[in-house]
Amino acid sequence: MGQSFTPELIRLLKAAGCTFVRHGKGDHDIWHSPQSGVTFAVDHKILSRHTANGVLKQAGLPKHF
């Protein structure tokens, strides 16, 4: 399988001031973005750049992948 985009995604979220809220169901974590005011889920192993960019969009951040 391909590489996971999650480590780089989490680094970007932390740099933007997003905070970890709690562990969710399965292999998801719940994060909150102060920029967009949205609480969103982040999978532990995101293999699609489109999914990773979708998480960034929910956080109010520009595309990176």
Side-chain angles (χ1 to χ4, degrees), residues 13-25:
L13 292 174
K14 286 180 180 179
C18 295
T19 55
F20 172 80
V21 177
R22 63 179 172 86
H23 294 290
K25 288 189 173 189

Side-chain angles (χ1 to χ4, degrees), residues 15-35:
C18 295
T19 55
F20 172 80
V21 177
R22 63 179 172 86
H23 294 290
K25 288 189 173 189
D27 60 349
H28 289 77
D29 289 334
I30 308 301
W31 286 72
H32 179 77
S33 171
Q35 292 178 346

Side-chain angles (χ1 to χ4, degrees), residues 4-65:
S4 173
F5 289 98
T6 305
E8 176 73 8
L9 177 63
I10 291 192
R11 186 188 66 74
L12 292 169
L13 292 174
K14 286 180 180 179
C18 295
T19 55
F20 172 80
V21 177
R22 63 179 172 86
H23 294 290
K25 288 189 173 189
D27 60 349
H28 289 77
D29 289 334
I30 308 301
W31 286 72
H32 179 77
S33 171
Q35 292 178 346
S36 65
V38 174
T39 301
F40 53 92
V42 177
D43 194 335
H44 285 199
K45 190 156 188 171
I46 296 175
L47 300 177
S48 166
R49 66 182 178 92
H50 300 292
T51 303
N53 282 327
V55 171
L56 289 174
K57 184 175 182 179
Q58 288 180 348
L61 301 172
K63 289 182 180 178
H64 179 77
F65 302 101

